[in-house]
Amino acid sequence: MKAILKRYAGVLIAAAAFAAFLVLFPHWRGKALDSIGYQARTMLLVIPPIFILLGLLDVWVPRERMIRFMGTGSGLKGATLAFLLGSFAAGPLYGAFPFAAMLMKKGASFRNILIFIGAWSTTKIPMLLFEISALGARFALSRLAIDIAGIAIIAWAIQAASPKQEIERLYAEAEKID
Amino acid sequence: MDTYLLYGLALAGLSVSFLKDKGKTRIALQKAWKAFEGILPQFLVVLTLVAATLAVLDTAFISRVLGASSGFLGILGASLVGAVTLIPGFIAFPAAASLMREGAGATQIAAFVSSLMMVGIVTLPMEIKFFGRRVSFLRNGLAWLFSLGAAFFVGWVVSL
C-alpha cells in the first residue's frame, strides 16, 4: 500500500494541481476538461498495441539477434535499421520511450537507440505524405532532409555528452523491465 | 490512420505468436501489461500537463503566435509553442497550412512543426523514467536548438 502511494505521489500532486487550475481559471475550465478527455482517449487507444508489440518483441526476439542487428558492432547497417524502425513506427513520441527501453534491454547500442527515438519523433513515413499534401513538397522534403542530418547530429552529441556510467545506469534500468 | 496500422501490426503479431506458442503469447501479454502498469504514474501526470497546456495554448493562441509575429522573435515564439504542445500531425499540418495561406512565414511554420515533433516538454516525466534527467534534458535542448536551424533551412528552400 505504502509502495503504491509512493509511486503515485506524483500523480496525486498533478491531480491536485490540475484541480486547482480548474478552480482558479474558470475561463479555461471547459477546454481543459475537453482536452483531458480527448487526450486520455487518444492515449488509451494508441498505447495497447505498442505495449503488445513490446511484449511480443521481448518474448520472441533473442538477445543475440538484437545485438547482431542493432548492437555496438552493427555499424551503418544497425543505424539504418534503427532509422527505418523509427520511421515506420506509428504513434506519438511518448510511445517510443518504452519501446526504446525494450530495445536497450535486448542489447541495441545507445547510438542506435538515439537514432530510433529521433526517427520516431520526426521522420514518419505515413506523416510525410500528409505533410506534402498540406504544406507542399518543398517544405516537407527539405524538412525531411535536414531532419535526417539532425537525427545523426543529435544522437552523436548526446552520446558524446553522456558519461559512460550514466549510460550503463540506463541499461541496468532497462534490464529490470520484465 | 497511424492507429489502424499499429493495431493491424499488433493483431498480426499476436495471431502468429498464438499459433506458434500459446504459453509464450500469454507471457508476452503479461509483460505488456506489466510494462504499461510500470509507466502508468508518469502517464497520468503527463495527461494533466497536456490538458492544462492545451487549454491555455489553444488553436487560436497558436495561430496568433504563428500568424502575427515575424522575424527572429516570431521564429523563437513558434518553436517555444511547438516545444510545449502535443498535437498529432494530422491536426497540426492542416492548421499550419491554413496559417501559411493567411500569410504566416514558412520559417515560423517550420520552427513550430519541427519543435512540435522533436521536443516534448510535457512528456518529459515519461522520457525521464526511461532515459534519466541528463539524457532527456540534453535531447530536448538539442532538438529545440536544432528545430531553429531546421526552420531557417526550410524557410530558405521554400523561398528559392
Side-chain angles (χ1 to χ4, degrees):
Chain A
M1 185 62 203
K2 216 176 157 194
I4 295 178
L5 211 62
K6 204 178 155 211
R7 273 191 63 213
Y8 282 86
V11 178
L12 293 177
I13 294 170
F18 189 68
F21 176 84
L22 294 181
V23 173
L24 291 175
F25 303 103
H27 171 63
W28 285 318
R29 191 179 296 154
K31 270 205 193 102
L33 289 174
D34 283 351
S35 176
I36 203 167
Y38 173 77
Q39 291 294 337
R41 276 198 302 279
T42 330
M43 286 181 172
L44 289 178
L45 196 69
V46 168
I47 285 255
I50 291 179
F51 279 86
I52 287 174
L53 288 170
L54 184 154
L56 289 172
L57 181 79
D58 196 7
V59 169
W60 286 106
V61 179
R63 212 181 128 77
E64 310 77 64
R65 188 167 305 164
M66 181 67 78
I67 290 175
R68 184 145 46 87
F69 283 122
M70 282 173 74
T72 18
S74 60
L76 195 63
K77 221 162 58 186
T80 311
L81 187 63
F83 179 79
L84 290 177
L85 207 58
S87 295
F88 281 99
L93 183 58
Y94 55 76
F97 303 135
F99 209 86
M102 177 54 66
L103 294 177
M104 278 162 88
K105 181 192 170 189
K106 287 285 171 182
S109 75
F110 197 57
R111 185 200 63 185
N112 289 343
I113 293 293
L114 293 170
I115 291 174
F116 170 76
I117 296 271
W120 185 308
S121 75
T122 193
T123 55
K124 291 293 204 37
I125 305 299
M127 274 292 141
L128 180 68
L129 300 173
F130 198 61
E131 187 176 348
I132 290 176
S133 71
L135 295 166
R138 262 177 185 234
F139 186 99
L141 294 178
S142 63
R143 212 174 65 78
L144 176 71
I146 190 85
D147 279 349
I148 291 174
I151 290 166
I153 295 168
I154 291 172
W156 172 82
I158 292 174
Q159 196 163 27
S162 303
K164 209 168 159 229
Q165 65 264 34
E166 170 67 1
I167 295 173
E168 274 164 10
R169 189 185 69 80
L170 296 176
Y171 270 84
E173 273 308 306
E175 202 67 42
K176 286 189 206 148
I177 304 174
D178 181 33
Chain B
M1 194 203 77
D2 277 36
T3 320
Y4 290 121
L5 200 80
L6 267 178
Y7 272 89
L9 268 175
L11 277 178
L14 267 184
S15 316
V16 173
S17 171
F18 189 77
L19 288 175
K20 279 177 96 173
D21 192 330
K22 273 184 207 163
K24 267 191 166 181
T25 310
R26 203 174 51 231
I27 295 172
L29 286 175
Q30 279 166 358
K31 282 173 184 281
W33 172 255
K34 260 172 117 178
F36 173 66
E37 211 275 324
I39 188 70
L40 193 59
Q42 284 77 11
F43 181 71
L44 292 172
V45 171
V46 167
L47 204 58
T48 63
L49 286 176
V50 173
T53 313
L54 288 189
V56 180
L57 306 180
D58 59 358
T59 331
F61 179 90
I62 294 174
S63 304
R64 265 209 310 281
V65 172
L66 296 188
S69 44
S70 54
F72 185 69
L73 270 181
I75 294 163
L76 206 65
S79 75
L80 286 174
V81 169
V84 291
T85 43
L86 183 73
I87 309 169
F90 66 87
I91 295 176
F93 289 140
S98 69
L99 282 172
M100 236 152 95
R101 275 194 300 275
E102 284 161 25
T107 315
Q108 277 86 340
I109 299 289
F112 172 68
V113 171
S114 290
S115 69
L116 176 68
M117 297 193 143
M118 295 182 102
V119 189
I121 300 297
V122 288
T123 50
L124 266 175
M126 282 169 105
E127 188 165 355
I128 288 172
K129 157 106 169 134
F130 294 108
F131 285 97
R133 282 213 176 81
R134 194 187 171 103
V135 170
S136 302
F137 288 154
L138 254 175
R139 194 194 71 78
N140 281 281
L142 288 169
W144 180 68
L145 281 178
F146 173 77
S147 76
L148 289 176
F152 284 110
F153 177 77
V154 172
W156 173 69
V157 172
V158 170
S159 74
L160 283 178

